[in-house]
Amino acid sequence: MKLISLRINDFRSINGSENIIEFKDNNIVFIFGKNNIGKSSVLHAYKYFASPTQKSIITDFNDQNVDKPIVIEATFLKEGSDVENFESKGLNKWVDIETGIVKVKKVWSKVDSLANKFTYNFEDDDFVDGGFGGLETILTNAIPNIIYIEAMPSISSLTSWLEKEIKNKLLKTLKENHQQEYGNALKAIKLLQDKVEKEGHLEEIGAKANRYFSETFPDLQMNIRSTPYKDADLSKAFEKDFSVTIGDKVEEEDRLADAVEASEELISSKSPDREFNLHGHGLIRQAIINILSLFKDTRDGEKHIILFEEPELYLHPSNKRKFRDTLYQIAEQDDYQVICVSHDPQLIDMSRKHTSLARFVKKDNGETIIYQAGDNVFSKDKETKDRILMLNRFNPHICETFFSDNVILVEGDTEAIVLRELIIKYYPYSDLFVLNTGTKNNIPFFIEVLSFFKINQHIIHDSDERYLYTDGEVRINKDDSLRANSAWTLNSNIWSAMEVAKSKGAFVKRYVSMRNFEDSHGYSHDANKGKPLSAYEFAQTLDIADNSKSIVNFLNQIMGVIDYENDFSQDFLEKNVVEPF
């Protein structure tokens, strides 16, 4: 099955019922947000849900309050590879006939207890106790396999993970390429298992165990039997390095050998502090990259979900880009889904298909909420997709915007440089992020995108004039009408985008330089120095207490030093913008 959505209520730092991660037309989700508010709890929540024997401890409950039960609800999609498994175990009764959807919910209501599992019955339109085969192992075996990579993996955990993945690939090779030998081995093992059970060894062990167990619990009996629905693990018969030392190397084996070599170098180091220094962690991350690259062309029908915590740690910038490409290549495969918790905008490429961003926010009342957007925002039509591609090329750091709570949108270099210098000089501890949109025409697009994530926006732009001028004379069209300035029309487009955003609960305010920045400040750039240096030098002349300068006045309003004076509505601009000639 494929994960469609994950709803998490009151688990660890996650507080409330509006914390949902969705896979809709996307295979990779980047979760971003401030430190220490619970982003990593999303990854742990899926692991928690998937474990058949997971018991709760007091710190798993939000605020350690056991009166608020932990509820984790997962929605899955049954696919073609699930048909045989569902039919053999009678699981189709839990599948929505029209959509192929399966819903399972787990609830932990007491400390040191297993979850109560509920499965959605589509005929009754409600969750029912138990369901989906009864045994927890049936659910665990049906959902995507977890590949969890923590933020600071130890060398031993990395090598254990490598060993597991190598053996899994080896076992698949045996099944596919040596079916007869593999089948014979399974039959032989099964025969031995049957003999052990028939000879009564398990019953004898069970009887001895029950001799003391029944004294404490006279109404209960402990049963010991072989686990159903689980194949024998033939890979345990092989040494750890078997799969990378036998036979001629192919390209995939080269990469696998690189990963193992990196981990073995760390293990064999005699220096006691080797594994904790920067070089050691870099090698760990490089090994992870290499082993992950093995999976990007995998098409075995088995579903996997990669849970990656801060993958950018200790990576060189060039390796970050390679790693980002590897993640996207993996996510392009139908058999893989990826959830990353990250603080690094370099890992995000909005122009890639099937990408989703999820902003994790902690509200003033302590509740957390996830705002998520994907192809419905970034690739909804060709114009939007082209704009995203253009903006990525224009400003590769543009994704930093999504990591901020408060963003100032400006239309050009001059405003961006002046504002950044004023903020650094007078408000150095502010979390304001200044985004140069490149052109006034891009501002409505950013308003729409940032509104999805409920990021506070302050829009600063020029009003421009209504008409185009040459040498102090308005231009005339062939029909003798005055030639309109398209930049003036954009004022209305920006206002309309703001109104739509505010209707959806977004915070957006506008500040307008009458005509343009240069005119409203009596400023002109030095052509010999260029706009950037001229703007920087102009910023040095500004006094943060001089609110007669509109850019200073706007910044002080944004910082709350003075009251917000004017919403610069379309009516206001129509009445107050005076043509230059």
Side-chain angles (χ1 to χ4, degrees):
M1 294 193 293
K2 181 178 182 178
L3 180 65
I4 299 299
S5 68
L6 185 69
R7 179 189 292 271
I8 310 159
N9 293 12
D10 301 314
F11 174 68
R12 297 184 183 174
S13 297
I14 298 174
N15 181 15
S17 59
E18 298 183 86
N19 301 280
I20 306 169
I21 291 293
E22 295 184 316
F23 284 95
K24 290 184 177 179
D25 299 321
N26 61 284
N27 284 338
I28 185 168
V29 178
F30 286 96
I31 302 174
F32 57 93
K34 290 187 174 181
N35 284 325
N36 201 35
I37 61 173
K39 299 183 302 297
S40 296
S41 295
V42 176
L43 304 185
H44 291 291
Y46 185 75
K47 280 184 62 184
Y48 209 80
F49 172 89
S51 173
T53 58
Q54 181 66 58
K55 286 188 175 183
S56 57
I57 59 176
I58 186 64
T59 53
D60 291 332
F61 292 85
N62 180 251
D63 288 335
Q64 300 187 27
N65 183 359
V66 294
D67 292 332
K68 297 165 58 178
I70 299 167
V71 182
I72 305 177
E73 179 183 329
T75 301
F76 300 96
L77 177 66
K78 176 190 172 185
E79 298 188 304
S81 58
D82 299 308
V83 172
E84 182 178 346
N85 183 44
F86 273 55
E87 288 181 352
S88 65
K89 297 182 178 66
L91 303 177
N92 286 320
K93 62 181 294 186
W94 306 109
V95 181
D96 181 35
I97 297 175
E98 295 182 359
T99 64
I101 292 294
V102 176
K103 292 183 180 181
V104 180
K105 177 170 63 176
K106 289 187 176 182
V107 180
W108 289 262
S109 54
K110 295 186 298 183
V111 175
D112 196 33
S113 69
L114 296 172
N116 291 321
K117 184 182 73 176
F118 302 88
T119 307
Y120 197 80
N121 187 317
F122 287 92
E123 290 186 359
D124 296 338
D125 197 24
D126 197 5
F127 281 97
V128 298
D129 191 12
F132 204 81
L135 294 174
E136 288 291 335
T137 50
I138 294 179
L139 174 63
T140 301
N141 291 335
I143 64 178
N145 299 321
I146 294 176
I147 301 173
Y148 182 79
I149 305 171
E150 58 187 331
M152 297 288 289
S154 65
I155 298 170
S156 59
S157 65
L158 172 63
T159 52
S160 296
W161 182 68
L162 288 173
E163 179 183 353
K164 176 184 174 183
E165 297 307 323
I166 291 170
K167 288 183 176 180
N168 284 342
K169 292 180 75 66
L170 172 63
L171 198 57
K172 290 183 185 301
T173 301
L174 290 175
K175 288 181 180 179
E176 295 170 1
N177 300 341
H178 306 282
Q179 293 183 8
Q180 183 175 350
E181 294 90 338
Y182 179 81
N184 290 338
L186 278 182
K187 289 178 181 178
I189 292 174
K190 185 65 170 62
L191 182 61
L192 287 174
Q193 289 175 334
D194 291 343
K195 285 184 177 181
V196 169
E197 291 188 18
K198 289 178 180 178
E199 291 174 1
H201 294 298
L202 290 180
E203 288 82 352
E204 182 180 344
I205 295 171
K208 290 180 180 179
N210 272 303
R211 184 182 309 164
Y212 301 101
F213 183 77
S214 59
E215 291 179 3
T216 306
F217 305 101
D219 297 329
L220 299 176
Q221 177 176 307
M222 183 185 298
N223 296 312
I224 300 177
R225 59 173 65 91
S226 59
T227 303
Y229 312 120
K230 184 176 181 180
D231 288 341
D233 186 359
L234 292 186
S235 64
K236 292 180 180 178
F238 301 104
E239 291 296 328
K240 178 174 60 178
D241 60 353
F242 174 83
S243 61
V244 295
T245 60
I246 189 171
D248 296 330
K249 286 186 177 180
V250 296
E251 182 180 355
E252 179 175 296
E253 289 172 332
D254 284 333
R255 296 197 299 271
L256 184 56
D258 289 341
V260 175
E261 183 178 352
S263 61
E264 288 180 348
E265 179 181 343
L266 291 169
I267 293 170
S268 62
S269 173
K270 302 302 181 183
S271 174
D273 60 352
R274 171 69 171 175
E275 64 182 271
F276 297 107
N277 64 24
L278 184 61
H279 182 60
H281 287 306
L283 280 175
I284 290 176
R285 290 287 167 169
Q286 189 60 53
I288 292 173
I289 294 171
N290 289 348
I291 195 68
L292 280 177
S293 68
L294 296 174
F295 301 140
K296 65 186 181 184
D297 298 320
T298 299
R299 292 182 178 84
D300 57 14
E302 193 170 332
K303 302 300 177 184
H304 307 269
I305 186 163
I306 299 174
L307 308 176
F308 216 144
E309 190 174 5
E310 299 184 49
E312 68 274 8
L313 288 181
Y314 301 104
L315 288 180
H316 186 276
S318 63
N319 279 344
K320 287 182 184 179
R321 292 189 290 271
K322 293 175 183 177
F323 187 40
R324 178 193 64 193
D325 292 341
T326 297
L327 280 177
Y328 280 109
Q329 289 168 354
I330 293 170
E332 287 172 0
Q333 306 302 320
D334 289 338
D335 291 341
Y336 285 88
Q337 295 173 283
V338 181
I339 303 178
C340 278
V341 168
S342 176
H343 296 101
D344 195 334
Q346 288 191 55
L347 289 182
I348 300 173
D349 186 349
M350 297 183 300
S351 65
R352 300 291 287 260
K353 290 182 179 180
H354 312 305
T355 298
S356 182
L357 305 184
R359 182 172 182 248
F360 190 90
V361 176
K362 187 173 184 178
K363 299 191 288 187
D364 292 339
N365 63 2
E367 291 184 354
T368 56
I369 185 170
I370 295 174
Y371 300 107
Q372 186 175 354
D375 280 358
N376 60 320
V377 175
F378 305 126
S379 302
K380 63 180 182 180
D381 52 47
K382 186 178 186 303
E383 180 182 347
T384 301
K385 185 176 180 180
D386 289 345
R387 191 182 298 275
I388 287 287
L389 286 167
M390 178 274 295
L391 290 169
N392 271 358
R393 304 297 185 268
F394 168 74
N395 183 0
H397 303 292
I398 207 165
C399 288
E400 287 185 41
T401 310
F402 302 117
F403 292 78
S404 303
D405 288 335
N406 295 279
V407 174
I408 301 177
L409 301 179
V410 298
E411 60 177 283
D413 293 337
T414 299
E415 295 91 334
I417 292 170
V418 171
L419 280 168
R420 287 168 184 161
E421 181 59 22
L422 288 174
I423 292 170
I424 290 171
K425 188 174 182 179
Y426 295 106
Y427 299 110
Y429 300 109
S430 167
D431 65 349
L432 278 173
F433 181 82
V434 180
L435 174 65
N436 181 0
T437 65
T439 171
K440 189 176 179 179
N441 195 52
N442 287 330
I443 291 177
F445 166 77
F446 278 106
I447 293 173
E448 179 185 2
V449 171
L450 297 182
S451 296
F452 266 87
F453 301 109
K454 300 299 185 290
I455 294 172
N456 297 334
Q457 302 169 63
H458 303 272
I459 317 300
I460 298 178
H461 66 83
D462 299 339
S463 70
D464 295 294
E465 296 91 14
R466 296 171 180 81
Y467 309 108
L468 295 176
Y469 295 85
T470 301
D471 297 329
E473 297 288 335
V474 66
R475 296 185 192 179
I476 306 297
N477 294 317
K478 292 182 179 180
D479 61 358
D480 293 329
S481 62
L482 303 181
R483 183 168 295 182
N485 183 359
S486 60
W488 175 264
T489 305
L490 287 173
N491 296 330
S492 178
N493 295 347
I494 292 171
W495 184 257
S496 296
M498 289 174 57
E499 291 294 284
V500 171
K502 286 189 283 189
S503 71
K504 296 179 179 178
F507 177 96
V508 190
K509 290 184 176 180
R510 176 158 82 166
Y511 313 79
V512 179
S513 296
M514 306 306 270
R515 290 188 58 207
N516 53 60
F517 180 90
E518 289 76 10
D519 186 74
S520 64
H521 291 86
Y523 160 80
S524 62
H525 76 276
D526 186 332
N528 293 322
K529 294 181 178 179
K531 283 190 175 182
L533 180 56
S534 296
Y536 174 77
E537 291 180 346
F538 175 70
Q540 305 306 307
T541 69
L542 295 174
D543 182 354
I544 199 65
D546 184 5
N547 286 303
S548 67
K549 301 294 185 182
S550 60
I551 195 67
V552 173
N553 186 286
F554 295 162
L555 180 58
N556 283 332
Q557 289 184 56
I558 292 170
M559 293 303 301
V561 175
I562 59 177
D563 294 336
Y564 183 60
E565 300 173 352
N566 188 346
D567 62 2
F568 292 95
S569 67
Q570 283 304 109
D571 289 341
F572 177 87
L573 295 183
E574 290 288 354
K575 293 176 182 177
N576 290 276
V577 175
V578 178
E579 294 299 302
F581 305 105

